Structure formats: C-alpha cells, structure tokens
Amino acid sequence: MTRAQADPRTARTRAKLRGALLEECADRPLAEVGVAALVRRAGVGRATFYLHYADMEALAVDACADIVREAVDALHAWRGVPDPATPPPALSAFFEAFAPHAGLYRELLRPGGSGPLGHVLHQELRARSRTERALAGAPEPDLIASAVAATFAGVLADWLHGLIEATADQIAQNIWRLLVTLHRTPWPDRTSQAQS
C-alpha cells in the first residue's frame, strides 16, 4: 500500500467517487456516465477525479473490486473436506448480491470471463487458489489454480450475460460442483512416470 492509498483523505475521496459511480450506473450504462455528472454527485472537483483515476473504466473496476474479493472469499469459505452437493452459504449469497449492479458488472465482465473486471477476478482468484493448494501440498497448484480461476470467471460472466439459465442458487451449486471436481482430479505420480 502506498502512502497516498493509506491517507484517510484519499480513501474518503475514492469512496465518494465509487459510491457516486454506482449511483449513476443504477440509472444508465457506464458509457453514458460523464465525468461532470459523476464529480457533481460525489461533491469533488474534476481535477480530483483525474488525480485518482485515469478514466471512468478504472474507477468502475475499482468500484467493483469488492465483488472480486467477495468472490474469492466465498469460494474459500469452507473448512475440512468440501461437500460437492452443498456450496458454502457465502457462495450462494455472493450470486444473490449481483442484482443491484448487474448491468455494470456485465459491462466490465464480458462473456467467457474477459474484460477488465474478469482480469482482476482471474488474477486474485488464481493467486488465492494457488497459495492454498501449495500450502496443502496438493499436486499441480499452478495448473489447478488457473483452471479454477478461468472456470469461475467464465461461468460467472456467461451467467450474467444470460448464456447460462439458472437461478442464483442453481449457479452457485453448479459452479461449486465444477470447482470441487477440479480440485479432486487425481494426478499420476510424475516420479514413477519418469522412471518407467
């Protein structure tokens, strides 16, 4: 964290801008939100906006960053041996919470999991999955972490864009089963393969 990010005034200003953006995007698409209307709603100057963000997309990704952290936490909100039939309650709650800002998320998370929010989601989820798998001594931490991140981001994005028809509860159950399957995939012992 930089000194500027640790400054309480900076944090307050960014929070105002993020809140204003979410309010503006409740009424119209991100592409139609102008900086003038945004800073007026936030109660800050135009120069202040550009001091903190390069453009509206950068602000939008920052405003939606909490959803990324919630996704990562929801997928890891279990202890012991995961039950593939029962996703963690946090995962179901995560999908239920999308409704108020679904339009904005669709703009930033494109089908297949691409887009600026998809990139951030993939990075953070892959890093967390890789760390936890490596700590547990599970095989193929890099491969499985990439597969988990790509699967989650892709399914989430396709569901948001209507390419997968399911309720929030159904998509939570389905994606949970997919991810548990990825983690449980048996891997041959590379040592014995190399010796044969």
Side-chain angles (χ1 to χ4, degrees):
M1 180 180 287
T2 66
R3 200 171 78 196
Q5 289 172 322
D7 182 343
R9 290 171 299 175
T10 297
R12 280 194 301 272
T13 300
R14 285 177 173 255
K16 284 182 185 178
L17 289 166
R18 289 192 302 266
L21 179 81
L22 293 175
E23 289 171 12
E24 287 288 325
C25 286
D27 301 328
R28 63 180 139 270
L30 177 62
E32 294 178 15
V33 177
V35 173
L38 177 82
V39 297
R40 189 167 44 251
R41 186 182 286 264
V44 302
R46 189 180 186 94
T48 300
F49 169 83
Y50 288 109
L51 180 66
H52 295 283
Y53 298 102
D55 54 28
M56 292 295 278
E57 186 176 273
L59 169 58
V61 171
D62 189 35
C64 294
D66 281 346
I67 202 75
V68 169
R69 285 185 284 279
E70 287 171 18
V72 173
D73 289 344
L75 283 175
H76 295 89
W78 56 273
R79 291 290 170 259
V81 178
D83 176 2
T86 310
L91 187 60
S92 297
F94 165 79
F95 281 102
E96 291 284 357
F98 261 90
H101 304 294
L104 179 59
Y105 297 137
R106 277 192 293 272
E107 291 184 72
L108 300 172
L109 184 59
R110 300 188 187 106
S114 64
L117 190 59
H119 177 70
V120 173
L121 177 58
H122 189 277
Q123 277 187 318
E124 294 203 15
L125 186 52
R126 185 186 187 282
R128 175 87 168 263
S129 294
R130 193 212 175 283
T131 298
E132 293 205 0
R133 195 165 175 87
L135 284 173
E140 303 289 352
D142 291 316
L143 177 66
I144 298 300
S146 289
V148 164
T151 298
F152 185 82
V155 171
L156 170 61
D158 287 357
W159 177 70
L160 272 174
H161 285 275
L163 300 174
I164 299 172
E165 289 189 25
T167 65
D169 190 52
Q170 289 168 337
I171 200 69
Q173 289 178 350
N174 291 340
I175 203 163
W176 180 246
R177 280 195 289 270
L178 285 170
L179 299 181
V180 169
T181 300
L182 282 171
H183 277 290
R184 288 185 174 173
T185 301
W187 295 95
D189 183 359
R190 289 185 179 184
T191 310
S192 60
Q193 280 185 329
Q195 291 172 349
S196 46

